[in-house]
Every structure is written in C-alpha cells, then in structure tokens.
Amino acid sequence: MSLENKVDELVVGLVSVSDRASGGVYEDKGIPALQEWLQKTLTTPFRVETRLIPDDRDEIESTLIELVDDVRCHLVLTTGGTGPARRDVTPEATLAIGTKEMPGFGEQMRQVSLHFVPTAILSRQVAVIRETPDPASNHAALVLNLPGQPKSIKETLEGLKDADGKTVVGGIFAAVPYCIDLIGGPFSDTNPDVCVAWRPKKK
C-alpha cells in the first residue's frame, strides 16, 4: 500500500465490553460480527484495532481515549454494556470522554430495535465526538455504542427494508461517513447493496 493510501485509510477501533468474554468464560462474538460487517460494507481502505475489555468504567474510558488520542482512530464502535444492569457502564464511560454528544445515533438505534422487541427502550446506547486535547493535533473521532448481539448490531447499522428492498427504518451507518468528513477524517464509501452512505448533493 502506498503512503498516499495509508494517509487516506480509515482507522476503526472495535471494542467489545464484557466481563465474561474478556475473562475467557465464552467466546466474544461482537468484534467478529463487526469485522465481518465492515468487510462487506466499506469499499474504501480501512484497518481495525480491536480491544476486548471487562465492564469496568475506568478501563472503558482509558481504552476509548487510547484508541482516539494515541492510535488515531477516526471511528470507534463499542458493543455491549449498554443495558440497565448495574455493571452496564459503557454509555457513562463514552459520555465522559466525549467533547460533543450526538444523540441522534442512539435515538435511531432504539427506533430500529423497537420494530423487534419492546425492551429496546431499555437500551442506553449513546454517541459522541471526541476531539483530542491538543488543538495542534487536529484529530477527532466518532464513538458509537452498539448493541451486544450480532443480529442487533447488523440491524442497527443497516436499518430495515421491506420485501421489495425499500427502506422502512434507516440504519445509523448511512450517516457515519459524512460525519467523519465533517470532523476532518478520511473519505469513506460503502457498498450500496448493504448501506448507502449519504452525502449532500454537490451544487
């Protein structure tokens, strides 16, 4: 890969938050599901950085900060830890490291999930922009909390379509490439058969 391609490469952090998976009690399914989805969806260069960590707020915060500030991710996707249980602290950690809240992402994820289960209102996914503390570095990333189950991850990212392929409820990833454009990240595009990346039409 040329240096030019490396500069334009989207760096995506994938964080699975689970006490049991990080402790080896069972195999993590969140990161593999996200990697598979990104492989079939993104048509522009990207690479991933993965982290499997327990439901610990301090560790979640430090991991998100490391991925944005040090690894220089442009997008960070977390999975797990967003319910009402006492150990579910991913949203709190995400809000703590963000500099701008992006509430529309969480609202839309719950809209998608409500088509399947009424308990979607118990989900607390949030999204933030994190801008690095040093203005000279001019770096920012979009951090999104996703559900924990692979099926729900796919549904919230892609949205829902009817039998004719018409979108019933839009998925959240359609807005992600343009959001990354706006915060100074590299251009990214998607496979329209999976998800159409929306951008304003050029005049």
Side-chain angles (χ1 to χ4, degrees):
M1 183 180 291
S2 70
L3 179 60
E4 183 181 355
N5 284 338
K6 288 183 179 179
V7 171
D8 293 336
E9 185 179 57
L10 181 72
V11 184
V12 184
L14 304 179
V15 182
S16 185
V17 182
S18 170
D19 285 334
R20 288 179 291 176
S22 63
V25 176
Y26 62 70
E27 184 180 0
D28 173 61
K29 295 182 179 179
I31 289 175
L34 284 168
Q35 288 178 313
E36 180 181 355
W37 192 86
L38 290 170
Q39 286 286 352
K40 73 174 185 178
T41 303
L42 287 171
T43 58
T44 43
F46 74 98
R47 67 179 174 86
V48 299
E49 290 279 341
T50 63
R51 303 288 186 274
L52 177 57
I53 59 175
D55 290 277
D56 177 81
R57 179 168 170 171
D58 289 342
E59 188 158 355
I60 299 168
E61 288 185 25
S62 63
T63 298
L64 295 178
I65 291 171
E66 178 231 348
L67 286 171
V68 178
D69 296 12
D70 301 331
V71 181
R72 313 287 282 184
C73 290
H74 307 101
L75 171 66
V76 179
L77 304 175
T78 76
T79 174
T82 60
R86 203 171 278 245
R87 292 287 291 172
D88 291 333
V89 292
T90 303
E92 286 75 17
T94 303
L95 291 171
I97 63 91
T99 52
K100 290 185 176 76
E101 189 174 355
M102 303 293 287
F105 285 102
E107 293 165 3
Q108 189 64 13
M109 280 189 268
R110 285 180 280 277
Q111 283 297 314
V112 172
S113 297
L114 277 168
H115 278 71
F116 298 97
V117 290
T119 51
I121 59 175
L122 303 179
S123 298
R124 301 185 305 113
Q125 292 100 326
V126 300
V128 300
I129 302 295
R130 176 174 173 81
E131 297 150 315
T132 51
D134 179 12
S137 70
N138 193 31
H139 182 73
L142 174 63
V143 182
L144 292 171
N145 297 159
L146 297 175
Q149 296 300 317
K151 180 176 182 292
S152 298
I153 290 172
K154 179 179 183 293
E155 290 164 352
T156 55
L157 289 170
E158 288 184 26
L160 307 178
K161 296 179 180 178
D162 62 19
D164 297 323
K166 183 180 178 181
T167 298
V168 177
V169 182
I172 64 166
F173 204 84
V176 168
Y178 185 51
C179 182
I180 293 173
D181 291 349
L182 293 174
I183 61 175
F187 177 87
S188 58
D189 208 353
T190 57
N191 177 355
D193 291 335
V194 179
C195 167
V196 177
W198 186 91
R199 285 183 170 90
K201 294 181 179 178
K202 294 181 180 178
K203 295 181 180 179

